[in-house]
Amino acid sequence: MSTADDDRIALDLLDAHLEDLWRAARELQYGNRSVVPEAPRELGAAAADGVATALLRWGCAELAGLPRSPADVFARSVGGTLVELRRRRSPWNAAALRLLEDPYVFLATGPRRHGDWAEDVLALMHREVPDPRGWLRIDGDRTNDARVAVPAYPFAPPPAAGFRDRLHELEPAGAVTALAVMAEEWGHGLPVRHRPDLDALLADARFLLDRYGPDAQFWTNARDAASDPARDFVRAGLDGTEVHGFLTGEYIKGLDLFDELGLIAVSDDEVGVFWSIGAS
């Protein structure tokens, strides 16, 4: 392994394998049959390379030591290793996990390839493009078979031409609070405004949005932003936010998606999508 690109490819391979292992372990934990995948040969070769990074060697050592039974221990161990690998890969990943690991959210960044950035947002919602920097995505529905019926699940977005009718521009300070409030869960838990780590949450949100540069534009589907582009979402709280809908109304496998708050970041090079989702 001689280049940063080689290192990224190997770490991506390790990440993907751990995610496949985690999904298999979860099925076993639920009492379902599942084939536990073998580690790719390329991964072992990369880890054995004399110039392999410490992170790759650490990850492969953790992989080799994972207990395969009982199923609940297997699932917990592989899940913990996957999260820790992602956390160690970059400070941006670590901030995203601190802020948004627990609630039901979608987080993804893709390349800016179109004059109309709504086309790039649609590509992200349809999982058509990778993160340009290889950084974290949070997307629990990527392999959800609900996408057979609703390809962009949990989204049912309008065509690109319809985005501007459902979005309002936010000032940067308002965008930070919109992202920070996504640390809340709809209808449950302590509101962000009452949490003792509020300053740290806001710092993480600000750090995540700094990725898109000082000239980034921010958009939200929250209706109140139409009259208040500096809206303080943390002070208002997540519940009761009125929005223009981007989520599907389909009732699939007993899950109803009933609340949402979205934030879109747009720069000359990248487009980021952050979406908080309420479901029952």
Side-chain angles (χ1 to χ4, degrees):
M1 179 168 301
S2 58
T3 69
D5 285 343
D6 291 335
D7 182 53
R8 173 174 162 179
I9 290 169
L11 288 169
D12 286 346
L13 187 63
L14 176 59
D15 186 293
H17 178 60
L18 285 169
E19 185 170 318
D20 288 343
L21 275 183
W22 181 79
R23 294 185 188 283
R26 293 279 286 177
E27 290 298 315
L28 294 172
Q29 185 180 11
Y30 295 144
N32 302 324
R33 297 180 64 182
S34 183
V35 176
V36 178
E38 295 293 328
R41 293 182 179 178
E42 301 92 332
L43 188 57
D49 192 305
V51 294
T53 64
L55 178 57
L56 181 59
R57 290 196 297 271
W58 170 87
C60 288
E62 291 292 308
L63 173 63
L66 287 173
R68 298 302 179 99
S69 63
D72 61 332
V73 174
F74 181 27
R76 191 163 56 248
S77 299
V78 71
T81 300
L82 177 59
V83 169
E84 186 60 22
L85 173 69
R86 290 172 173 174
R87 194 186 315 275
R88 293 187 184 197
R89 285 193 71 170
S90 78
W92 197 89
N93 286 6
L97 287 168
R98 283 193 300 268
L99 187 66
L100 300 174
E101 181 179 4
D102 292 331
Y104 184 6
V105 297
F106 176 89
L107 176 159
T109 297
R112 176 84 184 272
R113 293 175 173 170
H114 300 84
D116 182 357
W117 49 260
E119 297 283 0
D120 299 308
V121 174
L122 284 173
L124 282 173
M125 290 178 169
H126 285 272
R127 285 80 167 182
E128 295 173 350
V129 292
D131 187 297
R133 310 187 200 192
W135 290 354
L136 178 71
R137 290 190 169 190
I138 299 178
D139 180 10
D141 293 306
R142 181 177 60 82
T143 61
N144 191 332
D145 57 15
R147 294 187 59 208
V148 174
V150 183
Y153 189 89
F155 302 103
F163 269 53
R164 297 304 178 99
D165 294 334
R166 303 194 192 188
L167 296 171
H168 305 291
E169 192 165 5
L170 278 177
E171 295 179 5
V176 168
T177 66
L179 182 53
V181 82
M182 293 183 191
E184 293 183 20
E185 296 197 43
W186 293 92
H188 302 283
L190 186 67
V192 163
R193 63 182 178 272
H194 296 317
R195 285 177 51 168
D197 60 344
L198 173 58
D199 288 345
L201 295 176
L202 289 168
D204 280 338
R206 193 173 295 109
F207 180 71
L208 292 176
L209 296 183
D210 282 348
R211 164 181 184 161
Y212 306 98
D215 298 322
Q217 293 180 307
F218 302 101
W219 303 82
T220 180
N221 64 334
R223 292 177 181 267
D224 286 339
S227 59
D228 183 10
R231 174 179 168 82
D232 186 343
F233 289 85
V234 167
R235 182 177 180 182
L238 193 59
D239 289 325
T241 300
E242 295 186 2
V243 298
H244 302 285
F246 278 75
L247 297 181
T248 179
E250 296 284 343
Y251 188 71
I252 300 177
K253 297 194 298 184
L255 192 63
D256 185 21
L257 308 179
F258 59 87
D259 276 315
E260 60 181 290
L261 174 63
L263 175 68
I264 296 171
V266 180
S267 74
D268 290 340
D269 301 315
E270 295 182 325
V271 171
V273 176
F274 304 83
W275 225 268
S276 174
I277 302 163
S280 64

